[in-house]
Amino acid sequence: QKEVEQNSGPLSVPEGAIASLNCTYSDRGSQSFFWYRQYSGKSPELIMFIYSNGDKEDGRFTAQLNKASQYVSLLIRDSQPSDSATYLCAVNSGGSNYKLTFGKGTLLTVNP
Amino acid sequence: SQTIHQWPATLVQPVGSPLSLECTVEGTSNPNLYWYRQAAGRGLQLLFYSVGIGQISSEVPQNLSASRPQDRQFILSSKKLLLSDSGFYLCAWSARRNTEAFFGQGTRLTVV
């Protein structure tokens, strides 16, 4: 059973701080990694993807991947109250597998 | 640009009634299509995925079925709803394997 694990939170940070969200996965053959943001009552929206070890930056967001440790993280710099949402980590195992396996998500609250 | 439409947004159905949720994608051809369900505290569960017309793969045994009568149309159905079918149903598409999935607005189904 391929699993994606996230701390459910809630993770609470003050406005302007760095929020760090973590995710581990069980399938060592996983090839593609995604972070989605989901506001309450809404559908998930893609914010980042990463395929290679290392860091990938996009504005205030940085995704970090360490395949040896089977670990992927998302850093949000200068956190804003509008960043308050549930963040979902998703993993695709590649090959003939077309499916994304999602973690249960981490609830982030940014306090003004 | 590609868009995905899913309807209705909310639905209240009695136990034992049938169900039909429809999803269509515009602006792309031969997408991979997915149906997910999100229940409280359980994360996103993949129900069905399809790589082409008439090709449906089921992930979990359940009271639901899916069909893909046209390239960009994906339908989720049930002959008789159960209380346990309540949840947030999400349709998604991806361009090809190993790439990100994009979600529709979702349907919140309450079975009473």
Side-chain angles (χ1 to χ4, degrees), chain A:
Chain A
Q1 181 78 9
K2 298 171 184 174
E3 295 183 348
V4 178
E5 299 288 341
Q6 295 181 256
N7 187 323
S8 62
L11 173 65
S12 183
V13 301
E15 184 174 355
I18 296 175
S20 177
L21 303 160
N22 305 314
C23 172
T24 59
Y25 57 94
S26 62
D27 185 357
R28 187 170 289 278
S30 297
Q31 297 185 1
S32 311
F33 307 86
F34 307 90
W35 284 100
Y36 287 80
R37 177 176 62 199
Q38 186 175 24
Y39 292 114
S40 180
K42 302 297 185 182
S43 62
E45 57 178 324
L46 179 72
I47 52 174
M48 290 283 293
F49 62 87
I50 186 167
Y51 300 148
S52 303
N53 276 331
D55 295 359
K56 179 181 178 181
E57 186 174 319
D58 183 1
R60 295 187 296 112
F61 299 96
T62 299
Q64 300 175 317
L65 175 61
N66 184 326
K67 289 187 178 181
S69 300
Q70 295 175 240
Y71 176 92
V72 58
S73 65
L74 179 70
L75 300 178
I76 307 175
R77 291 181 300 280
D78 188 24
S79 295
Q80 301 297 310
S82 59
D83 294 326
S84 298
T86 296
Y87 289 80
L88 303 171
C89 173
V91 175
N92 183 295
S93 297
S96 60
N97 187 336
Y98 300 96
K99 301 171 288 186
L100 285 177
T101 300
F102 282 83
K104 293 184 178 180
T106 298
L107 176 61
L108 172 67
T109 300
V110 181
N111 301 305

